[in-house]
């Protein structure tokens, strides 16, 4: 159990810990010279209930920020009030901070009891009870103690041991996080950081990340509760000896968080719930400046009320916190706000959403998302979120932001019967009902499209995605289509999608004409096929009829009009995309290099492609976003490589030529002319 002191300056916190543990927690030279605590002090007490860890915090108002760094990691509060002074300003502020941090277990030590008679003790005890009223520590026992005479020390120790024996510290099964409150270099060991393990566990040899900097490190050794250990768990006070490139005491600061690498996702804009202390004299309006304390970190923040234009003293509401710099945090973490002059505590609350938007933060839709995310139970929160626009979410990010265990995404999906779509390293999730509705809408839209366009092969994938009520990100949508294709519901052909039963057939005359024309576009001429007028002249057909046929074939995805009246077979276009991709493997490429690559496949002489045709092909790719031009050079846009189907390499060009060995082409042409 981690015990943290609280109380006014010079009320005997450090002396009391010394009487309990035999350790003087004032370690700094200035602390000993001035007789007051300036930084955090630490002591440990082995007992029959385990090792009790003590965090001694400063009581001076100037060091409240240091007090917050220590108080944020405690399980049990030891509130110290001097019998000769009674409740003082920092006593009240410390009590308010403990309340905002949710510390509900504690005991009050009426210190320096040797300086007060029974009447004085009774009066101060009454004042303490009044100060505790309305806080999470209301009704906490009060014990009279004296570090000088030893009065009550044994009783206090026994009370702490009893509390530790029955104390059920929240042992999260989540991933590892340790809030750093000290970082120093130790001779013979290297860099050491200390802090309280907030969640999960860490073992010697583990790889960790220091957030928000992203510094990678390895755990060389561990001290848990002031003893060498192979493992540290949630609630333990730990010292970690870290190693790695760039790891140094100067590279890691108080307020950093050492965590499981998968949790590294700093944020500087957070939606939260905030309770303003009744002691505030003015409402908190939009862009109210404050200092945010979370764990051991302190950072400047602006407060934007979300429920109204201002948040009144004593009220609680939803706010957005815009930070000066990113911090490492988790949903449901507690925080405290103080004024910018560091003179008073304003309020505190819990983080709700670490990925808050900069725009439309007060819309009813956004507030509904915040309400759902505010649920403490991850299952309840997730169940609410997937039923709100956009009706899907990143399941891995949801578990990460709550520091849940690595197996949590799969467990959550199973508990709620979610449909998951894994794409690009992200697991998208939506409810079974939304998936069923999405599936039905896709089928209905494709059926309607086929009914209106019976001569077209299908609907564009991106056009279909943008028309649906549940608009999945493109990678997830492609996975969804692939899943429906596996079920036999539809078919995906390059950038087009159709119902599985939909088939477009040419009219009988067009089919016979295509049988003759197709060989003309393949074989040796495939990279420089004849134009519409040339084909019409060979066959004695009107140009308009040949052009109409090609337009229909283009909609069917069999040919592409690379230039005006210049049509290429789709497999040939796909192969040329492959050539461009290969040329771009080294960066950018020129039109001359592309021409040479094609001529290497087609040969020179009468079938040579030439610069003009090569440029027409590349300009066609430019128009469709397959290539991106910069001056005389081009590079590949890999997001558009599938536009004309899987890119084929030269070894498979025979597939395009197979329609048409040259002799077969001439025989078919002669037969048609006869």
């Amino acid at each position: 159990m981690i015990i943290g002191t609280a109380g006014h300056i010079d009320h005997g916190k450090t002396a009391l810990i010394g009487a309990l543990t035999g350790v003087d927690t004032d370690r700094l030279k200035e602390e000993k010279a001035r007789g007051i605590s300036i930084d955090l002090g630490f002591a440990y007490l082995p007992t029959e209930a385990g090792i009790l860890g003590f965090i001694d915090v400063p009581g001076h108002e100037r060091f409240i920020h240091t007090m917050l760094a220590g108080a944020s990691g405690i399980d049990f509060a030891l509130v110290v009030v001097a019998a000769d002074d009674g409740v003082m300003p920092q006593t009240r502020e410390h009590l308010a901070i403990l309340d905002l941090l949710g510390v509900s277990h504690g005991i009050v030590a009426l210190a320096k009891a040797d300086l007060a008679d029974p009447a004085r003790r009774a009066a101060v005890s009454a004042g303490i009870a009044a100060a505790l009223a309305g806080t999470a520590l209301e009704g906490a026992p009060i014990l009279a103690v004296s570090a000088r005479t030893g009065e009550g020390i044994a009783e206090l120790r026994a009370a702490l041991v009893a509390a530790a024996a029955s104390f059920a510290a929240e042992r999260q099964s989540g991933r590892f996080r340790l809030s750093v409150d000290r970082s120093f270099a130790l001779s013979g060991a290297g860099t050491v950081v200390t802090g309280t393990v907030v969640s999960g566990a860490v073992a010697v040899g583990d790889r960790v990340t220091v957030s928000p900097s992203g510094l990678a490190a390895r755990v060389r050794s561990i001290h848990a509760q002031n003893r060498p250990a192979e493992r540290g768990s949630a609630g333990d006070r730990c010292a970690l000896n870290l190693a790695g490139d760039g790891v140094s005491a100067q590279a890691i600061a108080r307020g950093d968080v050492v965590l499981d690498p998968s949790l590294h996702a700093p944020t500087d804009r957070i939606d939260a719930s905030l309770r303003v202390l009744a002691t505030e004299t003015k409402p908190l309006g939009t862009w109210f400046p404050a200092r945010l304390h979370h764990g051991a970190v302190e950072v400047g923040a602006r407060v934007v009320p979300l429920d109204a234009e201002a948040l009144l003293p004593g009220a609680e509401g939803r706010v957005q916190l815009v930070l000066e710099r990113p911090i490492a945090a988790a949903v449901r973490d507690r925080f405290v706000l103080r004024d910018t002059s560091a003179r008073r505590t304003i309020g505190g609350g819990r983080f709700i959403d670490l990925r808050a938007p900069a725009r439309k933060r007060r819309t009813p839709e956004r507030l509904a998302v915040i309400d759902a995310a505010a649920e403490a139970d991850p299952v309840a929160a997730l169940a609410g979120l997937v039923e709100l626009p956009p009706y899907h979410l990143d399941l891995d990010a949801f578990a990460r932001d709550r520091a849940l265990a690595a197996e949590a995404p799969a467990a959550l999906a199973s508990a709620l019967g979610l449909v998951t779509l894994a794409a690009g390293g992200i697991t998208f999730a939506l409810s079974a009902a939304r998936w069923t509705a999405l599936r039905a809408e896709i089928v209905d839209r494709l059926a309607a499209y086929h009914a209106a366009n019976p001569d077209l092969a299908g609907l564009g994938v991106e056009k279909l995605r943008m028309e649906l009520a549940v608009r999945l990100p493109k990678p997830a949508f492609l996975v969804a289509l692939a899943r429906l294709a596996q079920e036999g519901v539809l078919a995906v052909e390059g950038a087009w999608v159709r119902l599985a039963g939909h088939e477009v057939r040419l009219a009988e005359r067009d089919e016979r004409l295509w049988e003759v024309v197709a060989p003309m576009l393949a074989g040796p001429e495939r990279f420089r096929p004849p134009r519409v007028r040339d084909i019409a002249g060979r066959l004695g057909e009107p140009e308009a009829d040949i052009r109409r046929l090609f337009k229909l074939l283009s909609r069917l995805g069999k040919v592409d009009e690379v230039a005006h009246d210049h049509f290429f077979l789709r497999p040939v276009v796909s192969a040329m995309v492959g050539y461009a991709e290969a040329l771009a493997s080294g960066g950018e490429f020129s039109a001359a290099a592309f021409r040479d690559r094609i001529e290497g496949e087609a040969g020179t002489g009468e079938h040579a492609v030439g610069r003009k045709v090569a440029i027409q092909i590349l300009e066609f790719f430019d128009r469709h976003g397959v290539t991106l031009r910069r001056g005389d050079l081009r590079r590949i846009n890999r997001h558009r490589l599938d536009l004309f189907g899987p890119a084929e390499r030269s070894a498979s060009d025979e597939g395009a030529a197979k329609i048409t060995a040259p002799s077969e082409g001439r025989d078919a042409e002669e037969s048609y002319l006869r």
Side-chain angles (χ1 to χ4, degrees), residues 192-261:
V192 175
V193 299
T194 66
T196 301
V197 181
V198 179
S199 65
V202 66
V204 173
D206 282 356
R207 296 285 177 177
V208 294
T209 297
V210 181
S211 193
S213 67
L215 183 65
R218 177 176 57 84
V219 179
R220 294 176 60 184
S221 63
I222 299 174
H223 269 62
Q225 300 296 75
N226 207 36
R227 292 184 176 182
E230 290 295 313
R231 185 180 178 85
S233 301
D236 284 347
R237 177 85 199 155
C238 284
L240 306 181
N241 180 199
L242 301 180
D245 291 341
V247 174
S248 67
Q250 294 72 33
I252 306 173
R254 172 176 289 176
D256 287 347
V257 179
V258 180
L259 41 68
D260 184 306

Side-chain angles (χ1 to χ4, degrees), residues 20 41 49 125 149 168 186 247 343 390 461 554 599:
L20 287 167
S125 295
T149 66
L186 191 63
V247 174
R343 298 182 64 119
V461 169
S554 179
E599 287 187 347

Side-chain angles (χ1 to χ4, degrees), residues 212-409:
S213 67
L215 183 65
R218 177 176 57 84
V219 179
R220 294 176 60 184
S221 63
I222 299 174
H223 269 62
Q225 300 296 75
N226 207 36
R227 292 184 176 182
E230 290 295 313
R231 185 180 178 85
S233 301
D236 284 347
R237 177 85 199 155
C238 284
L240 306 181
N241 180 199
L242 301 180
D245 291 341
V247 174
S248 67
Q250 294 72 33
I252 306 173
R254 172 176 289 176
D256 287 347
V257 179
V258 180
L259 41 68
D260 184 306
S262 65
L263 295 183
H264 175 57
T267 178
D268 60 2
R269 190 178 293 270
I270 305 171
D271 284 340
S273 63
L274 172 64
R275 175 163 64 91
V276 181
L277 294 179
T279 51
E280 276 298 287
T281 58
K282 295 181 180 179
L284 274 60
T286 299
W287 223 240
F288 182 89
R291 302 295 295 177
L292 180 137
H293 296 262
H294 162 255
V297 72
E298 177 187 357
V299 62
R302 294 282 184 167
V303 181
V304 181
L306 299 178
D307 298 308
E309 290 302 317
L311 194 56
L312 300 176
E316 184 170 357
R318 295 169 292 189
V319 299
Q320 185 169 113
L321 303 169
V322 183
L323 311 183
E324 288 181 353
R325 57 182 173 82
I327 64 170
V331 172
R332 302 288 299 167
D333 280 356
R334 289 187 177 270
F335 68 93
V336 170
L337 288 183
R338 303 196 77 229
D339 75 311
T340 54
S341 64
R343 298 182 64 119
R344 69 183 190 280
T345 299
I346 295 170
R350 287 185 184 272
F351 295 148
I352 296 176
D353 188 346
L354 305 184
R355 314 298 156 192
R359 296 182 175 182
K360 299 182 179 180
R361 52 193 167 202
R362 287 177 172 169
T363 63
E365 294 79 10
R366 177 58 195 168
L367 294 179
V369 169
I370 296 174
D371 283 341
E375 289 284 349
D377 179 15
V379 174
L382 183 57
L385 289 170
V386 295
E387 294 303 329
L388 296 171
Y391 306 112
H392 61 80
L393 54 70
D394 181 340
L395 189 57
D396 298 319
F398 175 86
R400 176 203 66 207
D401 284 352
R402 287 177 173 254
L404 302 179
E407 61 273 13

Side-chain angles (χ1 to χ4, degrees), residues 120-168:
R120 176 60 182 171
R121 293 186 184 189
V124 174
S125 295
I128 294 171
L132 295 177
T135 73
L137 291 175
E138 182 174 3
I142 303 172
L143 293 179
V145 297
S146 171
R148 190 173 68 85
T149 66
E151 177 187 353
I153 297 299
E155 291 80 358
L156 176 58
R157 182 187 182 281
L160 293 175
V161 171
S166 62
F167 186 75

Side-chain angles (χ1 to χ4, degrees), residues 38 85 202 302 469 498 507 585:
I38 295 174
D85 269 353
V202 66
R302 294 282 184 167
R498 61 175 174 82
S585 62

